[in-house]
Every structure is written in C-alpha cells, then in structure tokens.
Amino acid sequence: FLFLLTFIPIAIPVLAAEERQLEEVIVTAERPEAMINDTPISITAFTSEAIEDFGIRNQEDLQAMVPAAVIEPYDMAIRGVGRNFRNLGGDPGVATYQNGVYSEDFGIASTEGGLFDVDRIEFLRGPQGTLYGRNAIGGAVNFHNKLPTDEFYAEFRGLVGSYDLQEMYGVVSGPLVQDVLSTRFVAMNRQRDG
C-alpha cells in the first residue's frame, strides 16, 4: 500500500474527464523542437503531466508504458537491441541523454530524482546513429528536466508505504537576478527496508 502526500502552493483547476485532452506534444528527437506529429520517427514521449497522471516513478513504471522496451536495473533494450555485456568496454545499445548530455548508464539517468522534476521523456525506437552516434543502434532516450522559473515556485511531496517506504521530494525555483539569472534546486531522499 502507498500513501501520497502532496503540497503544492498554487491553485490547480479541476477538469472533468471529457475536458482533459492532449493538444500538442513538443519533442527534440531530431534536435530542434518540433511537434510529435511532425517527427518521422517511431517515438513514445511523456510530458510532465503524463508522468504525473500515470504515476510513473521509476524504471519499472516506464517499461509498462513503452512498447518494445525491456528495462533492467541499469540498462535497457529496445526491439531486442541493448548492451551485450556489462563491464569495461561494453557500450550500451540504447543511447541515453540527460538534458542533451550523453550518459552511458540508463539507470543513473532514469533514477535521478525519481522522475520527480522531469519535464519530458522521449523514447526513440530503431537505429538512431545518424543523430545520436554509435551507441544508438537500438534507439535513444532523452530525459529533459524542468527549467528554472522567472517567478518563485516551491513544492514538497512525501510518500510513505509498506516496508517502511519513505520518500521526500522538494523543489525551489526562482530568479536570483530579476530577468537575468534564475535557478532551480531539486532534492530527494528515498528509504525502504528490505
């Protein structure tokens, strides 16, 4: 069993189910931003709202939502193509990028912050070597964190569950120098008994 406590200092309008619809999803699969409908790639993308609505908190949750993907604790395979062996010199078969920076370890990028402050996640299936290099035979994954805000914003979340599960998430964002420099601080702590 899980209990989720969320404290958000802003008002969120409640919409009926028939009023909620996805109007457009912006992706960077081909580097510049484009609508997902205009991107000629087999892609699965999750916005921050979709991550929240589906309750995606970790790799196992992602695996259930991404077609043709097998996600292991520190690696993943798309359409059966992944890392052949996991030791020195064993390159991944799926390229992982965190905010545009390559990460050779899918596990680090997918568990960083518990997917709490992620703006969107993009899974690109099939060979992506032209844009993403040699380690993208199976595909590529892009994690994009939320950007700093021009106005002060703070949020705190707590989650408790079985086996003494305790998770705490927090974010503070705002300007350091008005209209010049903004920052965003994110913290998380996760504990659970065996």
Side-chain angles (χ1 to χ4, degrees):
F1 63 90
L2 295 173
F3 296 104
L4 178 64
L5 304 171
T6 304
F7 303 102
I8 302 175
I10 58 173
I12 299 176
V14 178
L15 302 175
E18 61 271 358
E19 293 177 9
R20 295 184 71 192
Q21 62 183 2
L22 188 61
E23 294 184 14
E24 68 177 28
V25 176
I26 304 297
V27 296
T28 56
E30 296 180 305
R31 301 295 186 187
E33 288 187 356
M35 288 187 52
I36 196 168
N37 295 342
D38 297 333
T39 305
I41 295 174
S42 180
I43 184 171
T44 301
F46 300 97
T47 62
S48 60
E49 292 83 14
I51 292 169
E52 185 73 29
D53 288 346
F54 291 132
I56 299 172
R57 293 180 32 249
N58 54 34
Q59 300 160 327
E60 292 82 17
D61 296 338
L62 285 171
Q63 178 171 309
M65 306 299 281
V66 180
V70 175
I71 299 176
E72 298 171 354
Y74 296 102
D75 270 324
M76 78 171 299
I78 297 178
R79 295 181 175 164
V81 179
R83 189 184 304 252
N84 291 331
F85 58 93
R86 186 166 180 80
N87 26 3
L88 194 59
D91 287 334
V94 177
T96 304
Y97 288 84
Q98 179 88 30
N99 296 324
V101 178
Y102 176 74
S103 171
E104 71 174 36
D105 200 332
F106 173 78
I108 292 172
S110 65
T111 58
E112 185 77 22
L115 303 179
F116 167 63
D117 200 47
V118 173
D119 186 44
R120 72 181 178 277
I121 307 170
E122 304 166 359
F123 288 87
L124 289 68
R125 290 182 288 283
Q128 299 296 327
T130 304
L131 290 174
Y132 292 97
R134 72 177 189 158
N135 293 338
I137 295 286
V141 181
N142 295 318
F143 291 89
H144 297 276
N145 290 80
K146 293 181 180 177
L147 297 174
T149 57
D150 292 331
E151 296 180 10
F152 178 79
Y153 172 80
E155 181 178 351
F156 173 80
R157 291 185 188 189
L159 180 82
V160 294
S162 58
Y163 299 102
D164 291 327
L165 172 69
Q166 298 175 1
E167 296 182 3
M168 303 293 222
Y169 303 96
V171 61
V172 175
S173 180
L176 290 178
V177 179
Q178 194 67 34
D179 298 327
V180 176
L181 180 64
S182 295
T183 187
R184 187 174 194 97
F185 295 102
V186 179
M188 87 162 263
N189 184 23
R190 183 182 288 168
Q191 297 177 359
R192 184 174 185 165
D193 289 343

